[in-house]
């Protein structure tokens, strides 16, 4: 099966680093015309500059979102795929979460998906097709201690996804969310944890290895393709079988 994304216009938010940067590169590798949006970007090599366009955008700011979307439409005429990847983590017990942090978490993780989707939907409706793909998290399925703000914001993304899927279905626009489990990035510092702590986390996975951003990209390239045209309103679990059983480490002899 060949997933042909050549010349598709793809927008990835939060794409300056981490999973988003890999998603942008992987879509570009598939021949898509990719715009990476973020608050700021590190300097990059001239080679990267030719394949991925970079734009400054704060997904919590309606004006910033609108002008970023207009810039893409001006350049490419349309938007075929929107990946709402931008997100932040807030990790603290409920009693210790400052109101500002709670609000920031919802502003970026849910508000960002809302604002970007609201701005891009009319473009996709005019084209009569489109794909919106939203970063949820395994935390939306099973939360962990100290994840009240993050987990509930990601659960909200799942419900927002379902509503968008219904509202945009008449234009053949699919809207899905996905739940990565544990991709070591700057957001979580998994790879820098002491070995014992890493072992404890890995013991929750049926596959018992860290997830890579490429594992996420493989799913998203499929979701963006014509072959995924009948999948909408879904939450796709791409967590390596996290807590698929109560004690997955037993199968690994641990
Ligand atoms: P990361 O912190 O490495 O990258 C997040 C990016 O989002 C950064 O480049 C940041 O600048 C950008 N961003 C933050 N606020 C923004 C805003 N207001 N406007 C525009 N961009 C903004 O995180 P990551 O680990 O690569 O995670 C990417 C997404 O995947 C997030 O939504 C995260 O919740 C989700 N996720 C990650 C994991 C994981 O294990 N890493 C697991 C589940 C879900």
């Amino acid at each position: 099966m060949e997933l042909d994304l050549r010349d598709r216009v793809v927008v990835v938010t939060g794409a300056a680093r981490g999973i988003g940067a890999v998603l942008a590169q992987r879509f570009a590798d598939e021949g898509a015309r990719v715009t990476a949006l973020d608050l700021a970007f590190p300097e990059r090599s001239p080679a990267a500059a030719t394949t991925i366009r970079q734009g400054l955008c704060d997904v919590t700011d309606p004006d910033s979102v609108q002008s970023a979307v207009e810039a893409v439409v001006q350049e490419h005429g349309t938007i075929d795929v929107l990946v709402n990847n931008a997100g932040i983590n807030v990790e603290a017990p409920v009693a210790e979460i400052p109101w500002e942090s709670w609000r920031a978490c919802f502003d970026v993780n849910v508000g960002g998906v809302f604002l970007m989707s609201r701005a891009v939907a009319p473009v996709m409706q005019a084209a009569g097709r489109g794909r919106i793909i939203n970063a949820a998290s395994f935390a939306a399925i099973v939360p962990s201690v100290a994840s009240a703000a993050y987990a509930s914001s990601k659960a909200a993304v799942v419900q927002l996804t379902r509503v968008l899927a219904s509202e945009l279905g008449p234009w053949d626009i699919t809207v899905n969310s996905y739940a990565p489990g544990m991709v070591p990035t700057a957001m979580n510092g998994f790879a820098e944890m002491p070995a014992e702590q890493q072992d404890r986390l890995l013991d929750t996975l049926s596959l018992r290895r860290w997830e890579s951003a490429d594992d996420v990209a493989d799913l998203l390239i499929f979701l963006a393709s014509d072959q995924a045209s009948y999948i909408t309103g879904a939450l796709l679990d791409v967590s390596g079988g996290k807590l698929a059983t109560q004690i997955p480490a037993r199968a690994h002899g641990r």
Side-chain angles (χ1 to χ4, degrees):
M1 180 164 71
E2 193 179 326
L3 307 174
D4 187 0
L5 295 181
R6 273 173 300 175
D7 291 328
R8 294 287 161 89
V9 180
V10 177
V11 174
V12 183
T13 69
R17 69 173 199 193
I19 299 171
V22 173
L23 295 178
Q25 189 56 57
R26 287 286 307 278
F27 276 110
D29 293 346
E30 295 294 317
R33 293 180 281 167
V34 179
T35 300
L37 300 178
D38 210 308
L39 297 169
F41 286 88
E43 261 188 51
R44 62 178 174 174
S45 68
T50 58
T51 52
I52 300 172
R53 184 183 175 283
Q54 294 180 342
L56 296 182
C57 175
D58 178 348
V59 297
T60 69
D61 175 352
D63 293 335
S64 175
V65 164
Q66 197 57 42
S67 54
V69 168
E70 279 169 15
V72 178
V73 174
Q74 199 163 14
E75 184 172 353
H76 297 297
T78 192
I79 296 175
D80 297 302
V81 181
L82 167 64
V83 180
N84 284 310
N85 162 81
I88 61 169
N89 187 20
V90 169
E91 203 176 339
V94 169
E96 292 166 25
I97 302 176
W99 178 228
E100 297 70 34
S101 304
W102 176 278
R103 282 176 52 166
C105 197
F106 271 75
D107 277 356
V108 178
N109 295 359
V110 193
V113 175
F114 162 69
L115 288 174
M116 286 298 304
S117 303
R118 192 180 65 169
V120 167
V123 180
M124 292 181 171
Q125 285 170 307
R129 68 174 199 183
R131 298 272 188 273
I132 299 177
I133 308 173
N134 300 326
S137 169
F138 191 79
I141 303 170
V142 182
S144 51
V145 171
S147 74
Y150 182 75
S152 44
S153 75
K154 291 299 188 178
V157 168
V158 175
Q159 293 297 44
L160 174 56
T161 298
R162 292 173 178 146
V163 176
L164 280 168
S166 296
E167 292 184 0
L168 299 177
W171 288 270
D172 240 3
I173 300 163
T174 69
V175 190
N176 292 291
S177 59
Y178 57 97
M182 297 187 294
V183 185
T185 64
M187 178 184 270
N188 50 45
F190 289 146
E192 288 77 45
M193 287 176 175
E196 213 175 279
Q197 217 173 324
Q198 292 197 28
D199 274 339
R200 250 201 323 271
L201 290 172
L202 290 168
D203 279 345
T204 64
L205 301 175
S206 298
L207 295 179
R208 214 186 177 285
R209 57 178 165 79
W210 293 122
E211 183 169 358
S212 72
D214 281 303
D215 293 323
V216 180
D218 289 337
L219 171 66
L220 266 57
I221 286 166
F222 169 65
L223 283 178
S225 74
D226 289 346
Q227 282 80 352
S229 62
Y230 205 64
I231 301 172
T232 196
L235 167 62
L236 284 304
D237 178 338
V238 57
S239 71
K242 193 170 165 75
L243 302 178
T245 60
Q246 293 188 28
I247 312 173
R250 282 179 64 189
H252 292 271
R254 293 172 57 84

